[in-house]
Amino acid sequence: MSPDCFSPAETMSRAEIESLQLAKLKKEIDYCIANNAEYSRRLGEAGITSDKIKTLSDIKYLPFITKKDMHSTYPFGFFGQPMKKITRIHASSGTTGKPTVIGYTARDLDDWAECMARLAYAGGAREDDIFQICFGYGLFTGALGLHYALEKIGSTVIPASSGNTEKQLMLMEDFGTTGLVSTPSYAEYIGELAREKGIIDKLKLRIGLLGSEGCTPEMRTHIETSLGIFVTDNYGMSELGGPGVSGECEFRDGMHINEDFYYCEIIDSATGEVLPEGEQGELVVTTLSKEGFPMLRYRTGDITRLVKDTCKCGRTFARMDKIKGRSDDMLKIRGVNVFPSQIESVLMTYPQIAPHYQLVVTRKNYSDRLEVRVELADASLLEHFAKLEELQISIHDHLKTILGIDTTISLVEPKSLERFQGKAKRIVDNRQ
Ligand code: DLL
């Protein structure tokens, strides 16, 4: 039975995918050398031309591009076309310093909508859906990325942007919104407010296309129960054009990569060596037909794993696991690597606490201390000292088994921690 896909490309055989990737990779290398001085210099120094690439694994001879290279070539150093051919510009949020600036030609915009439409369709979006896009519109790629993809599918789009959550709920109720697009943390907050206002039964929401930040399976279940929706995870990054790199289908057994547009590798972050299929490491991505902002071997900093067997849905594109974390998000506590997602998974198993937490790292006498602040679900527990202490010890011990280090657990009042309308910022590192 042929699967229900947006594009026939999604069911190519592995041999077809790889031969297409090889042909496109060689073309992309030629394109970069011909159209961008930075690439022409870098690849010239490395002695690379497309003739040197005989198999896909020969990509290992190309130098990596890192975030640092983005900064040193700011703003347009990696653009593959002059400004008159650039139709749109986006930029990464860049909390410190200058953002990374991305240019799209008209064809790039079409390809972007195609890639994201496939993933939205795989996640369940259909023509008769009404999608409320609660990502911030602006330089961020999330909102417009989903916007054009969902229009391409034929869904109705409400460009609500993020924030003003009471109004979001009013629109959802009045317009009969069936699909939500947001970060998981904003979805969590929308659910919390909808319940508080007693309007959850009036909403017609059925699916959520979430992404742009990590979300453990436990947090996802919480969001699904709270809003009564089916959630899929979507991955992408500004440097690669935004959302549309990979996303889950209904089976949620990894995020399908649009392999005819992106070639993915997993490397050992420390040595830069390419790791065998199935091993976990840093994701490196090469765009295969970008004109405005081609990226050859971009080091994403994201930690994941790739699998290439055919999914239960019938799609043949390789899948990547949920992102375990960013290599630069990983906390090193007294020499031990700690991913916030490991902590979230533990916290979400306790019904007594709400899915809101903050990780505060401090250093005293040359020793790191990790405080996990967690909100109680119900304030009445604050009056039962013995129960509080029991809960604290239980979380502490559970985390110790998983992480191998001691943490300080602070149970705080309900609704006292910050809520997020975009990506959550849960780590406060006071060590610097
Ligand atoms: O977040 C693009 C995007 C928008 C993806 C909407 C999905 C949906 P940036 O702001 O450049 O771009 O952030 C990219 O966010 O390197 C990851 O660390 C993280 N990230 C993105 N999607 C996921 C996800 C957009 N599904 C950075 N799971 C990436 C975990 C994610 N982390």
Side-chain angles (χ1 to χ4, degrees):
M1 192 185 78
S2 76
D4 182 17
C5 294
F6 190 75
S7 159
E10 295 169 80
T11 52
M12 282 188 282
S13 70
R14 180 101 320 253
E16 281 172 320
I17 295 170
E18 291 183 358
S19 112
L20 180 65
Q21 284 185 317
L22 181 60
K24 287 182 101 171
L25 173 63
K26 286 162 83 75
K27 223 170 137 189
E28 187 85 330
I29 291 173
D30 287 336
Y31 176 87
C32 286
I33 294 173
N35 291 286
N36 175 281
E38 180 69 20
Y39 276 121
S40 157
R41 182 187 64 74
R42 292 168 142 259
L43 297 183
E45 279 170 16
I48 300 289
T49 55
S50 61
D51 305 339
K52 298 262 164 68
I53 307 295
K54 308 277 185 230
T55 65
L56 280 171
S57 65
D58 289 341
I59 197 171
K60 61 174 179 277
Y61 300 119
L62 272 68
F64 293 120
I65 299 174
T66 63
K67 188 93 193 163
K68 228 162 120 201
D69 297 316
M70 297 289 133
H71 292 149
S72 64
T73 55
Y74 175 84
F76 307 134
F78 278 103
F79 275 31
Q81 285 292 315
M83 203 51 88
K84 66 176 178 195
K85 297 279 181 202
I86 299 291
T87 308
R88 196 187 311 152
I89 281 179
H90 279 280
S92 73
S93 45
T95 40
T96 51
K98 302 275 194 191
T100 300
V101 185
I102 324 298
Y104 304 73
T105 63
R107 200 195 75 192
D108 290 337
L109 291 176
D110 284 346
D111 289 348
W112 185 15
E114 164 71 24
C115 282
M116 190 57 237
R118 291 176 185 175
L119 305 178
Y121 192 90
R126 293 294 180 271
E127 201 179 25
D128 43 12
D129 275 307
I130 304 174
F131 270 94
Q132 195 155 322
I133 301 196
C134 305
F135 280 137
Y137 277 72
L139 287 174
F140 176 56
T141 55
L144 288 173
L146 268 295
H147 183 115
Y148 288 106
L150 289 166
E151 284 189 354
K152 194 173 172 80
I153 289 176
S155 308
T156 308
V157 168
I158 307 170
S161 205
S162 68
N164 203 346
T165 313
E166 305 235 345
K167 188 165 171 207
Q168 299 276 6
L169 287 172
M170 182 191 85
L171 299 181
M172 275 178 195
E173 185 183 340
D174 295 350
F175 296 177
T177 302
T178 60
L180 170 68
V181 171
S182 73
T183 59
S185 34
Y186 195 35
E188 175 61 45
Y189 179 44
I190 292 173
E192 182 181 56
L193 199 66
R195 288 191 171 267
E196 220 172 275
K197 297 183 88 53
I199 60 159
I200 201 78
D201 294 335
K202 297 191 180 139
L203 302 182
K204 296 204 174 71
L205 285 175
R206 66 172 199 93
I207 52 174
L209 300 175
L210 307 187
S212 183
E213 66 176 4
C215 174
T216 57
E218 294 83 359
M219 178 71 93
R220 176 172 74 194
T221 304
H222 195 273
I223 295 168
E224 290 187 320
T225 314
S226 166
L227 280 167
I229 55 176
F230 179 83
V231 164
T232 51
D233 190 2
N234 292 278
Y235 171 83
M237 71 190 312
S238 314
E239 291 85 335
L240 303 173
V245 176
S246 66
E248 286 176 327
C249 66
E250 70 207 275
F251 290 96
R252 302 193 295 197
D253 187 17
M255 296 185 276
H256 288 277
I257 298 162
N258 276 308
E259 283 194 284
D260 47 346
F261 288 93
Y262 298 99
Y263 180 74
C264 292
E265 304 166 84
I266 297 291
I267 62 159
D268 177 325
S269 282
T271 63
E273 289 296 312
V274 179
L275 295 174
E277 188 186 326
E279 284 196 24
Q280 179 175 285
E282 179 180 346
L283 177 72
V284 171
V285 185
T286 297
T287 60
L288 294 176
S289 47
K290 279 255 159 67
E291 295 177 332
F293 199 78
M295 277 289 102
L296 300 180
R297 296 196 96 200
Y298 185 66
R299 285 187 65 155
T300 64
D302 293 320
I303 309 297
T304 184
R305 207 173 65 92
L306 301 180
V307 256
K308 293 197 174 147
D309 58 349
T310 301
C311 178
K312 288 190 225 60
C313 72
R315 288 177 181 80
T316 49
F317 282 160
R319 285 160 285 147
M320 52 192 253
D321 270 0
K322 275 180 161 301
I323 302 294
K324 175 120 194 264
R326 289 187 56 77
S327 43
D328 47 12
D329 244 14
M330 190 179 73
L331 293 165
K332 261 233 178 298
I333 308 290
R334 298 189 291 277
V336 177
N337 296 342
V338 174
F339 282 105
S341 58
Q342 294 175 292
I343 299 179
E344 181 176 301
S345 286
V346 168
L347 297 179
M348 294 300 300
T349 60
Y350 289 87
Q352 305 95 314
I353 56 181
H356 303 284
Y357 62 95
Q358 193 178 45
L359 309 176
V360 185
V361 194
T362 46
R363 178 167 290 162
K364 209 173 165 193
N365 300 332
Y366 303 100
S367 178
D368 300 329
R369 176 170 171 265
L370 173 61
E371 179 191 359
V372 180
R373 292 189 186 151
V374 207
E375 250 183 36
L376 288 168
D378 177 0
S380 66
L381 205 65
L382 285 166
E383 280 144 38
H384 297 93
F385 186 73
K387 278 192 189 160
L388 266 186
E389 203 181 7
E390 194 184 310
L391 178 60
Q392 229 164 0
I393 293 171
S394 167
I395 298 174
H396 169 274
D397 293 352
H398 196 158
L399 281 176
K400 182 150 189 181
T401 324
I402 302 289
L403 309 175
I405 55 163
D406 279 307
T407 52
T408 306
I409 311 299
S410 306
L411 298 171
V412 302
E413 280 186 38
K415 308 219 168 23
S416 59
L417 294 178
E418 189 182 349
R419 301 294 189 261
F420 300 96
Q421 298 175 347
K423 299 189 197 224
K425 291 184 192 69
R426 301 195 200 275
I427 303 173
V428 182
D429 196 336
N430 292 326
R431 286 179 293 189
Q432 287 82 18

